[in-house]
Every structure is written in C-alpha cells, then in structure tokens.
Amino acid sequence: MRRLITSVTENSPAGRAGILAGDFFLSLNGGVVLDVFDYRFLSNEESLSVGIERNGLVTDFIITKDECEDIGLVFGTGLMDSARGCENNCVFCFVAQNPPGMRETLYFRDDDWRLSFLTGSYITMTNMRRADFARLRFYRLSPMNISVQAASPAIRRTLLRNKRAGTLMKRLRALKRAGTSMNFQIVLCKGINDGPELVKSINKLVKLMPNALSLSVVPVGITKHRGGLYPLEPFTPADARAVIAQVHELAFGFRAKYGTSFVWAADEFYIRAGVDLPGYEDYEGFPQLENGVGMMALFREEFNEEFKNTPEISLNKTVHIATGQAAEPFISELSNRLCERFKGLIIKTAAVPNHFFGETVTVSGLVTGRGIADAFKGRIEPGAKLLIPQNMLRSGEDVFLDDMTVKELEEALNVSILKVPVNGAEFIRTVINL
C-alpha cells in the first residue's frame, strides 16, 4: 500500500536517514503494512529497511535506531488506513436521521474494530472477518467496545437488519477465550429490545465476566428526519422509570455477587423519568462516561470540590449560558449556587430548542450554532459574555454541527463566546475569570 508522508519529525531516525515529507511510504523490512498496528509492530526493530517512493522511484532507506524508538513518520490519519464502514442498516441509526445538506463526513457510518481500540468507538462486529479476528488476537488489543443491542440472535438481526448480526454471543465468547476485555452498549428501542429482552441481554453479557467490564443502556435518539424509516417511539417518563428500575435491580444483585454494578442507565433516562441520578461513588470510576453515563454526577462532584475551595468574592458581572434542554435544570441549579456565593453575579441560563434535529433531541452536544443564534437574538445585550459547552463543537475546531463557526455566531449576536470544557471545576473558574 502507498501512503503519503505528511511530515517527518525533526531529528528523528527517518529524518536523519533522509526521508522527506511528500514521500510515499511503501513497506517496512519488505513487509506489507496494513495499518498502524502493523507499522508499530514492524518498526520496533533496531535496524529497518523503509521502502519509499519519491518522484516515481522506489528506494530502500536504511534506518538504525533504539529498540521501540519511533521512526518519526507522520501520516494523514492515525489509523494509516481508511476507516471501515458499517454494513448494517440499523432501524435506530442516527446517521440515517441526519438532515440533508450537512458536511459529507457526518453521513459516514464507521464500524471499525481498530478504531474501537484506538478511540473507544463502539462496533457491531458484523463486518469482521476471520482475518480481522486473527489480527485482533495477534496484537492482543483490549478492551474492545461492542454495540450489542440484543443478545437474542433474532432480535439483533431485526435491529441491525443484517443476517450476520445473530452470531454476536459466539463472537463474544471467542473474544473472552482470547483474553480480550470488553465494554458493552445497548441502544434501547421501545417495544423491541426493552422489557424482558433487556433483562435477558444483560444477564447473558454479565456471564462473560471477568472479561465483561461494563454495560451502558442508552435510549434511542429520534430526530424529526425519520420519513420512510422504521417507526420508533420515544420513551415516556413512565417508560424511563421502568428501565431504571430494571437496571437498578440487576445492578444491585451484581454488586452482591461480583462486586460491581456492571450495568448503568444513561443520564438521559433519569432526566426523562424526572428522578435523581445516582451519586458519584455509584459509577465506579465512570467506565461508560462517553455514552452519557454519569456525566452529571461527575460534573457535580467536580463543581462541589471547586466550590468549597473557592472564597466568597464580589464579581458584579452578568454571564449568559447556552445549553441543551436536558441539561438546563441541572446547569441552572449550579448557577444559582454560584450567584448565592458571589456578590453581584448574575447568570442567565437558556435552554436552546433543537429545531435542526427536532425537539425530541435535547442534549447539548447536538445543539447547532444557528439554534443558539435564534434562541438569543434580541435577548442578549451587545458585548455580553456567552458561555457554551465545548461538546457543542467539532473536536479540535470552532465549528458547530451545522457548520456555523464560533466567530460567525459572535458576529451574529455581537457577543463574546467562551467555550467551557464539560467539567464542573472549569465551569466555576470560567465564570470567575471572565
């Protein structure tokens, strides 16, 4: 495979050998490199022959380095390969519910076992072949993050609409035999994999311990762009309370038997149910944080620690906060505590309705720039400070899901926007240091 070298680290073995940015990488010691795992494995030697193409000519560069020292080549992607796409047609797929006209990358459905290890993404394993499992075992990649949906073969095939979806438990047992640890996720769809089926799935997955590490149960996301798609219903408050009760009962038994809860419901279920979330200690180190499990409990703990160590001072300022509808009561509660502590502080929190995806989508991470502009237009004074959570933006960039930039939003509202990490302590520090 031919891969463009985008840069070469200064004073690295590759740089000293004369390899340049713009060269094409071909091989290591004559071996084929499929991706970053092969690259790292083959580059551990102290003496290497690196196949390079430059201006159409192929040359072997000899590199001498310390064992395990990085060669110093940088490629366009950390994977050194294109991400593998999804082969399912899931009834609950959120990507299929995206509105038209968004950037192309938002329509790509990845399902790559390599990215599961590298980035923590969840995979269905339906597109994995024998060679993939052999490479996974060879490199001893662990943990893997598996999107289960249902342990029942028939129900999983219904949900994923893929005939290979029914082999899940067989594959999970094979991973256990290989020593691979696993985290699981169930996207819960009302009337399909909830109720007794959810209990069956949880009980089957917990039997994979000690390799089974954790399981999250998250509600299906439903946007307004579902024309022609499988009919799904949102969970009502009563439904959400029923799910929480099932999860709590099973988790209680697992703690007594295994010393861990193993399964947790996403924060969104508690918000929909209108009941209190578990406490900080109940989340056992937050193994499912990226699935929205325990985010509020962790945020509150971080807030409380910073709050008790912050002296009372006069601030005399007004701060505006934009957040999703689900988090607004929580953020307002913490904001009121700050206003009571700091003399002269006024915090105005606004829940931004999601007209882009539909008002059933209430999480802050899916709020758009145009949504904020519409929500605050005429309601915020020129030159004001507006706080937004960092998770509203594309990772590493100042761009919202609708491609509006932070600068464009500042110009539209004539305000200064501050991005706040989703961290309770940083929330307090940002408000104080404005």
Side-chain angles (χ1 to χ4, degrees):
M1 291 187 178
R2 185 172 177 266
R3 294 180 178 85
L4 176 66
I5 299 170
T6 57
S7 65
V8 180
T9 305
E10 189 176 358
N11 296 322
S12 65
R16 294 192 297 269
I19 300 175
L20 304 174
D23 289 343
F24 287 92
F25 170 85
L26 302 177
S27 62
L28 275 175
N29 286 342
V32 175
V33 175
L34 296 177
D35 53 33
V36 67
F37 299 112
D38 291 342
Y39 176 79
R40 294 297 181 194
F41 178 76
L42 293 171
S43 66
N44 281 336
E45 303 296 328
E46 295 180 352
S47 179
L48 296 170
S49 172
V50 184
I52 295 293
E53 179 186 325
R54 180 183 298 169
N55 299 325
L57 299 176
V58 176
T59 305
D60 287 331
F61 285 77
I62 305 303
I63 289 179
T64 301
K65 64 180 187 62
D66 293 335
E67 187 178 2
C68 297
E69 181 184 3
D70 184 62
I71 296 175
L73 301 180
V74 180
F75 303 92
T77 66
L79 185 59
M80 288 183 63
D81 192 16
S82 299
R84 189 171 298 179
C86 179
E87 296 180 357
N88 307 313
N89 186 23
C90 299
V91 301
F92 54 84
C93 180
F94 196 86
V95 175
Q97 303 177 70
N98 278 337
M102 300 173 70
R103 58 183 179 272
E104 186 177 346
T105 54
L106 293 177
Y107 299 101
F108 177 69
R109 299 179 294 176
D110 72 89
D111 194 14
D112 198 313
W113 60 273
R114 301 167 300 176
L115 292 177
S116 182
F117 175 77
L118 291 172
T119 69
S121 60
Y122 277 74
I123 58 171
T124 66
M125 299 198 299
T126 56
N127 62 0
M128 291 180 68
R129 307 302 188 253
R130 288 184 180 180
D132 298 314
F133 283 100
R135 295 187 72 226
L136 190 156
R137 290 191 298 269
F138 179 79
Y139 288 120
R140 299 178 182 178
L141 302 182
S142 191
M144 299 301 293
N145 303 303
I146 315 297
S147 200
V148 173
Q149 320 323 356
S152 165
I155 293 178
R156 193 168 193 256
R157 283 194 294 266
T158 296
L159 286 165
L160 274 59
R161 291 196 282 201
N162 185 324
K163 62 183 180 181
R164 291 189 298 274
T167 63
L168 173 73
M169 294 307 301
K170 178 181 178 180
R171 293 185 166 196
L172 295 183
R173 286 190 287 268
L175 290 182
K176 179 181 179 179
R177 289 193 298 271
T180 305
S181 57
M182 297 164 279
N183 294 299
F184 303 116
Q185 172 199 69
I186 290 177
V187 176
L188 208 61
C189 299
K190 185 176 177 179
I192 304 177
N193 60 341
D194 58 345
E197 290 300 329
L198 174 61
V199 174
K200 289 179 185 177
S201 294
I202 295 172
N203 281 325
K204 285 187 177 182
L205 294 172
V206 79
K207 291 179 181 178
L208 296 169
M209 282 188 167
N211 299 73
L213 303 178
S214 67
L215 166 63
S216 62
V217 180
V218 302
V220 63
I222 301 176
T223 81
K224 67 181 181 181
H225 305 284
R226 287 197 60 83
L229 299 179
Y230 189 98
L232 292 174
E233 297 180 40
F235 286 90
T236 66
D239 296 330
R241 287 191 291 272
V243 172
I244 292 169
Q246 285 180 311
V247 169
H248 282 196
E249 182 178 359
L250 290 168
F252 180 82
F254 296 154
R255 283 196 301 272
K257 187 173 182 179
Y258 302 110
T260 175
S261 295
F262 176 66
V263 60
W264 290 270
D267 291 4
E268 194 173 347
F269 274 118
Y270 294 90
I271 294 169
R272 292 191 189 188
V275 301
D276 292 338
L277 282 90
Y280 175 81
E281 297 295 337
D282 294 318
Y283 287 100
E284 300 176 21
F286 300 89
Q288 290 278 349
L289 194 63
E290 293 303 315
N291 275 326
V293 176
M295 291 184 70
M296 289 186 171
L298 179 59
F299 194 98
R300 186 188 297 277
E301 179 73 9
E302 294 163 342
F303 179 96
N304 288 340
E305 287 297 311
E306 185 72 14
F307 187 81
K308 71 182 181 183
N309 293 318
T310 303
E312 295 185 25
I313 56 175
S314 295
L315 291 180
N316 296 316
K317 66 175 74 171
T318 298
V319 178
H320 296 265
I321 299 175
T323 187
Q325 291 179 306
E328 195 278 331
F330 176 75
I331 296 299
S332 290
E333 174 202 334
L334 300 183
S335 297
N336 290 337
R337 290 176 59 189
L338 292 180
C339 292
E340 292 172 1
R341 167 68 66 90
F342 305 119
K343 186 177 180 181
L345 174 64
I346 299 173
I347 299 179
K348 298 180 179 180
T349 303
V352 180
N354 202 321
H355 302 302
F356 190 76
F357 288 105
E359 300 208 7
T360 56
V361 178
T362 60
V363 295
S364 61
L366 294 176
V367 167
T368 63
R370 178 52 55 194
I372 297 173
D374 292 342
F376 280 88
K377 191 171 184 178
R379 303 178 187 176
I380 187 169
E381 60 275 14
K385 306 290 186 182
L386 175 61
L387 272 59
I388 64 169
Q390 185 78 49
N391 66 353
M392 287 184 178
L393 304 173
R394 193 190 313 178
S395 178
E397 300 182 44
D398 285 351
V399 182
F400 294 91
L401 274 173
D402 58 354
D403 287 334
M404 190 176 199
T405 67
V406 170
K407 184 177 180 180
E408 288 171 340
L409 180 57
E410 287 181 323
E411 292 173 350
L413 293 175
N414 191 18
V415 299
S416 295
I417 293 177
L418 292 94
K419 300 164 290 182
V420 186
V422 183
N423 179 289
E426 289 297 326
F427 173 53
I428 294 178
R429 293 174 195 143
T430 302
V431 169
I432 290 176
N433 295 320
L434 279 175

